[in-house]
Amino acid sequence: IHMLSHRYAVQRKETVKDRMFYHSLCVLEWNHGQHCTVIELAYLGGVTGSGGKSNFYDDKDIFAAFPPELIQPWLTNQAEIRCYDVNARNITEFKEFVTKYENTRFVDPHFNFSHPARLTMRSKAQIAHYLLNYVTRNTDYEQFQRNCQTFAADFCAFVGGKKSVSPYSPIVSNAVNYKPKIHYFLYDSFAYDNHIHNGIMDSGDNEDDTTITTSNNNNEKEQD
């Protein structure tokens, strides 16, 4: 697993804010050697709501690949995790792709984490399940506290079995007191009762979550 952090190219002079904010994403290599998978967290509907463009393909237009139910306006306060199978077969080819589009798509790119996968259960289906657990446990998107960088740090630490993986930007890792949420990948989000109110999933992020178990037809709370 690898982490890439970069700024976005803008069609104007960069502002101070532009130069401060970096996007982070994860790149998975597979043992079949046919392609890599790019994984990123971003705000909900950001691809389809903006015309279906992606920086990870030579032809950026991927709108035709989306089924109708995924085409929607974006919501900047809600999160989604996006997975792209890309043409690069390994990290070397992916780095060549990034270099090809440096400054036109990827500004100041840095591969700031690389480590072999230590996760035992790591098939594509299992990875997808972990990602669903993570994003449904907390569906919020927030520019500083729950964003692409916090997800990339959590996912790299989870797959690589590393403790000290931090978001790329000091603004995110230090100023907002980043706390890893690696455990979010492991557990079914619907099992946490403070996320379900009257049958509706809530995106609360309480460290004192409790799960509900059933014993002798009685609901009992079990402290995490």
Side-chain angles (χ1 to χ4, degrees), residues 1-2 26-32 35-40 81-85 115-136 151 154-161 182-188:
I1 185 168
H2 313 271
C26 300
V27 183
L28 287 178
E29 293 183 273
W30 302 99
N31 57 9
H32 54 60
H35 60 76
C36 291
T37 300
V38 172
I39 303 176
E40 62 179 358
I81 293 178
R82 307 167 187 165
C83 301
Y84 308 88
D85 289 340
H115 200 276
R118 286 174 168 166
L119 193 62
T120 303
M121 310 298 286
R122 55 179 185 261
S123 69
K124 181 171 284 191
Q126 289 161 342
I127 292 293
H129 198 158
Y130 299 140
L131 297 176
L132 287 171
N133 286 345
Y134 186 94
V135 76
T136 56
F151 165 75
D154 286 346
F155 192 55
C156 284
F158 176 63
V159 175
I182 299 172
H183 58 290
Y184 280 13
F185 294 107
L186 291 172
Y187 305 107
D188 291 328

Side-chain angles (χ1 to χ4, degrees), residues 152-215:
D154 286 346
F155 192 55
C156 284
F158 176 63
V159 175
K162 301 289 289 185
K163 289 183 177 180
S164 56
V165 184
S166 299
Y168 177 75
S169 170
I171 297 174
V172 178
S173 60
N174 297 326
V176 300
N177 193 25
Y178 160 73
K179 295 180 180 179
K181 304 292 185 184
I182 299 172
H183 58 290
Y184 280 13
F185 294 107
L186 291 172
Y187 305 107
D188 291 328
S189 61
F190 60 79
Y192 290 83
D193 68 323
N194 72 318
H195 289 246
I196 303 174
H197 300 286
N198 298 322
I200 300 174
M201 189 71 70
D202 181 9
S203 62
D205 192 11
N206 187 343
E207 286 302 311
D208 295 325
D209 289 344
T210 57
T211 59
I212 293 180
T213 59
T214 301
S215 176

